């Protein structure tokens, strides 16, 4: 426990690919800032520097960072978990839930993914065909559970095939289909962009938490 509580993970986050989920678009709409357009959020991986080439998802538009600003003033670089505002050289249509990433090292983009899910609801079981809201970084969409590939025995870590559902605190590997593409890295590579929660839209309760493994083609 001492090791788990004290291990330094900050270096690992800096060494990941640059990822910046946009949380808020800043447009003061005042005369003194008539052309100001900034994108606020928390750096989720890697290092962003002024002048870096970046790509905005889902549009795929490319630009360069013109400025990085913080509460205490401008900086030349931003690393996790800094909360910053990034400004770009070009005017691009960007909104909450979009992602700014380093050009040349883009995340996965897919509407069908494989993931581990831990079921957290006492009200019912997770079964194939169930529908939820999904939140991954700052991006919200809807998801449907496809195949339930296996259930994980948490004592032996054995993957047990043939499960028809997950009960409270059980973990299973599933396929999820989403209404919009998720921009993500495998959880093993980046725990911020590789994690998500499932939300019951009827009650707004968080009923599941998961780790993204890979995109599924087709």
């Amino acid at each position: 426990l001492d090791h788990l509580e004290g291990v330094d993970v900050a270096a690992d986050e800096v060494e990941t690919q640059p990822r910046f989920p946009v949380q808020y678009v800043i447009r003061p709409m005042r005369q003194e800032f008539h052309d100001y357009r900034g994108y606020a959020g928390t750096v989720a991986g890697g290092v962003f520097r002024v002048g870096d080439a970046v790509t905005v998802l889902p549009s795929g538009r490319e630009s360069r960072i013109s400025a990085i600003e913080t509460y205490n003033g401008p900086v030349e670089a931003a690393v996790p978990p800094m909360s910053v505002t990034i400004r770009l050289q070009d005017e691009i249509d960007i909104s909450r839930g979009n992602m700014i990433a380093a050009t040349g090292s883009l995340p996965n983009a897919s509407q069908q993914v494989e993931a581990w899910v831990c079921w957290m609801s006492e009200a019912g079981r997770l079964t194939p065909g169930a529908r939820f809201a999904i939140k991954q970084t700052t991006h919200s969409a809807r998801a449907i559970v496809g195949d339930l590939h296996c259930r994980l025995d948490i004592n032996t870590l054995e993957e047990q095939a043939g499960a028809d559902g997950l009960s409270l605190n059980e973990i299973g590997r599933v396929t999820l289909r989403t209404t919009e593409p998720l921009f993500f890295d495998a959880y093993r590579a980046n725990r911020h962009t590789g994690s998500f929660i499932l939300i019951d839209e009827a009650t707004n309760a968080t009923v599941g938490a998961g780790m993204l493994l890979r995109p599924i083609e087709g």
Side-chain angles (χ1 to χ4, degrees), residues 38-207:
Y39 309 103
T42 301
V43 180
V47 182
F48 287 91
R49 295 181 175 87
V50 174
D52 282 356
V54 294
T55 299
V56 179
L57 299 171
S59 69
R61 294 281 304 277
E62 297 181 7
S63 185
R64 289 187 178 273
I65 297 176
S66 62
I68 302 174
E69 299 168 348
T70 71
Y71 178 80
N72 295 315
V75 295
E76 288 298 311
V79 299
M82 290 175 62
S83 295
V84 300
T85 296
I86 288 179
R87 299 178 63 188
L88 303 180
Q89 292 179 357
D90 304 282
E91 288 192 8
I92 300 175
D93 186 14
I94 302 175
S95 59
R96 175 182 172 87
N98 291 178
M99 180 174 287
I100 298 174
T103 299
S105 60
L106 301 181
N108 298 306
S110 180
Q111 288 183 250
Q112 188 165 248
V113 298
E114 186 175 307
W116 286 105
V117 173
C118 177
W119 188 241
M120 301 164 56
S121 174
E122 298 179 347
R125 304 174 74 222
L126 174 68
T127 56
R131 299 171 182 267
F132 304 97
I134 185 170
K135 188 170 188 298
Q136 178 254 342
T137 64
T138 60
H139 185 197
S140 297
R142 289 182 171 84
I144 182 171
V145 179
D147 296 328
L148 175 55
H149 303 287
C150 66
R151 181 169 49 218
L152 184 69
D153 186 320
I154 61 173
N155 296 309
T156 66
L157 300 184
E158 178 185 0
E159 297 183 14
Q160 302 171 334
D164 61 355
L166 299 178
S167 300
L168 178 65
N169 292 333
E170 289 187 330
I171 300 172
R173 182 161 51 87
V174 304
T175 296
L176 296 174
R177 299 181 181 89
T178 58
T179 55
E180 300 176 9
L182 302 182
F183 309 112
F184 70 96
D185 302 280
Y187 184 86
R188 187 181 295 272
N190 188 316
R191 63 191 178 94
H192 299 292
T193 64
S195 60
F196 65 92
I197 59 173
L198 297 176
I199 301 168
D200 185 329
E201 293 186 282
T203 63
N204 207 35
T206 299
V207 293

Side-chain angles (χ1 to χ4, degrees), residues 10-25:
D12 292 337
E13 294 179 344
V14 171
E15 292 171 1
T16 59
Q17 299 297 336
R19 304 286 185 256
F20 186 78
V22 176
Q23 185 172 2
Y24 186 71
V25 178

